[in-house]
């Protein structure tokens, strides 16, 4: 069976419909550009920036988009001290997640300092950089945008309703644990804001 790079020689256009590291973080897009293969979706820089959550938050915040308060987690600091600092500065509950992971992988909510300490210790074993942000329960709404040059077209808003606390990785992979609603039932002002 030919390997992936050999198979790319047969590709005229790549329709990207995969997620996570090496797929939506700019690496695959860079490979395709290097090979001169056109592809769907965002380019290398936009993909890499969007996948790096803290960089994405800083960028969109600088352009006027409201973001939740958050902070990077220093992996050299004791987990118990980090948990206290986070609880004091962000207010509980707090979401802990990898900086550059997709699909809600390893996202967890800590409701107490003790929860946060355990989550930080557990997630540090993955070797990934972590960050925290204030947990804000609410509705999960996505709005796709299609671009044709400078012409932008928004698609109808999609709301995903999880059966649990939030739309985490196990929920995303079990259709019995969520439902999708398109178009989302939104007020006109909320729809316009999104």
């Amino acid at each position: 069976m030919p390997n992936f790079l050999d198979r790319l020689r047969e590709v005229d256009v790549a329709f990207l419909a995969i997620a996570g590291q090496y797929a939506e973080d700019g690496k695959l897009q860079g490979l395709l550009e290097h090979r001169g293969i056109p592809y769907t979706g965002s380019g290398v820089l936009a993909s890499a920036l969007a996948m790096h959550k803290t960089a994405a938050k800083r960028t969109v915040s600088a352009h006027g988009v409201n973001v939740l308060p958050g902070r990077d987690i220093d992996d050299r600091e004791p987990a118990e001290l980090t948990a206290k600092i986070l609880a004091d500065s962000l207010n509980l509950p707090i979401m802990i997640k990898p900086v550059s992971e997709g699909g809600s992988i390893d996202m967890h909510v800590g409701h107490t300092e003790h929860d946060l300490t355990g989550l930080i210790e557990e997630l540090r074993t993955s070797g990934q950089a972590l960050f925290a942000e204030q947990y804000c329960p609410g509705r999960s709404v996505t709005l796709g945008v299609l671009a044709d040059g400078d012409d932008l077209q928004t698609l109808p808003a999609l709301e995903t309703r999880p059966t649990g606390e939030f739309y985490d990785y196990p929920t995303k992979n079990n259709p019995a644990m969520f439902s999708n609603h398109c178009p989302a039932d939104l007020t006109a002002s909320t729809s316009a804001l999104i």
Side-chain angles (χ1 to χ4, degrees), residues 32-136:
L32 293 170
E33 285 188 15
H34 178 72
R35 294 288 185 116
I37 300 170
Y39 56 89
T40 60
S42 299
V44 175
L45 179 59
S47 298
L49 179 61
M51 190 66 151
H52 194 280
K53 294 172 186 72
T54 55
K57 284 179 65 142
R58 282 191 298 272
T59 301
V60 299
S61 177
H63 286 84
V65 176
N66 293 328
V67 298
L68 292 169
R71 61 185 304 145
D72 292 325
I73 294 176
D74 183 344
D75 63 354
R76 297 164 296 173
E77 191 171 72
E80 193 171 281
L81 175 60
T82 300
K84 176 159 183 35
I85 291 169
L86 292 175
D88 290 346
S89 63
L90 296 178
N91 298 320
L92 294 165
I94 294 171
M95 177 78 72
I96 304 291
K97 52 181 131 177
V99 170
S100 292
E101 186 60 83
S104 302
I105 293 171
D106 286 336
M107 288 176 56
H108 300 279
V109 178
H111 294 275
T112 67
E113 280 185 41
H114 180 73
D115 289 348
L116 290 174
T117 299
L119 288 171
I120 292 165
E121 288 172 345
E122 176 188 336
L123 293 173
R124 280 183 174 162
T125 63
S126 73
Q128 293 198 60
L130 302 173
F131 88 105
E133 67 185 359
Q134 193 173 60
Y135 176 65
C136 180

Side-chain angles (χ1 to χ4, degrees), residues 149-176:
D150 291 335
D151 183 34
L152 299 178
Q153 177 184 351
T154 58
L155 301 176
L158 167 75
E159 179 178 6
T160 301
R161 296 180 191 159
T163 59
E165 186 172 20
F166 69 99
Y167 194 46
D168 60 2
Y169 185 75
T171 300
K172 286 183 174 185
N173 290 285
N174 183 346

